[in-house]
Amino acid sequence: MNDEQIEQEIQTKGLTAPRVTKADVDDEIASEHFFTAFDGALGAASADNQDAESAVRVAMGMPPQLQLLTICVLVLRNGYTVTGESACASPENFDAEIGRKLAREKAVEKIWPLIGFRLRDFLSATQARG
């Protein structure tokens, strides 16, 4: 069952109590960033080495498998970050766009419980006052 089908079922059943929705999750995302582990390792090597030649030598020694691990960093409205990753077992199947989609999906999954906790905190405080 996909997100739209679940949302439709919730609405059909008239479940109207406060809850976290996909729109709430999407609204929390301020920016998204993608890179491969190779990109990250290359960036670290460049920062550690003052000259480009040294950074290139370090990059040439990196395992090519680092190019098969895609990482997504989502920055939320409050500045908190969540990450997701996608690894490809067969280099022949690597597709950067698919890797980004899968990594983003895994990062988004981490937002749901964070917002759920915040909502539960709010509801608990409201009930304590009321």
Side-chain angles (χ1 to χ4, degrees):
M1 204 177 255
N2 66 31
D3 289 338
E4 286 108 26
Q5 291 169 324
I6 293 169
E7 180 61 29
Q8 182 61 47
E9 184 175 352
I10 288 169
Q11 292 194 18
T12 299
K13 291 183 176 184
L15 303 174
T16 59
R19 62 188 175 88
V20 177
T21 66
K22 184 173 180 337
D24 295 329
V25 171
D26 291 341
D27 287 347
E28 287 297 320
I29 301 170
S31 64
E32 53 188 59
H33 309 273
F34 300 93
F35 55 93
T36 65
F38 181 86
D39 298 332
L42 182 59
S46 296
D48 290 344
N49 295 286
Q50 297 302 313
D51 62 283
E53 188 176 311
S54 295
V56 169
R57 278 198 304 275
V58 170
M60 290 176 62
M62 291 182 203
Q65 293 82 359
L66 292 179
Q67 296 179 29
L68 305 178
L69 174 62
T70 303
I71 300 161
C72 173
V73 178
L74 298 179
V75 179
L76 306 184
R77 286 184 306 124
N78 66 2
Y80 193 73
T81 57
V82 294
T83 61
E85 60 283 325
S86 169
C88 183
S90 298
E92 301 82 16
N93 288 337
F94 179 77
D95 181 282
E97 183 179 343
I98 292 172
R100 286 189 293 273
K101 286 178 183 176
L102 292 170
R104 186 182 190 282
E105 184 178 300
K106 290 180 181 178
V108 167
E109 287 173 8
K110 295 178 181 179
I111 300 171
W112 287 88
L114 297 172
I115 300 174
F117 179 86
R118 183 172 63 201
L119 176 59
R120 185 63 235 155
D121 243 7
F122 172 79
L123 293 173
S124 179
T126 303
Q127 290 169 349
R129 280 184 258 144

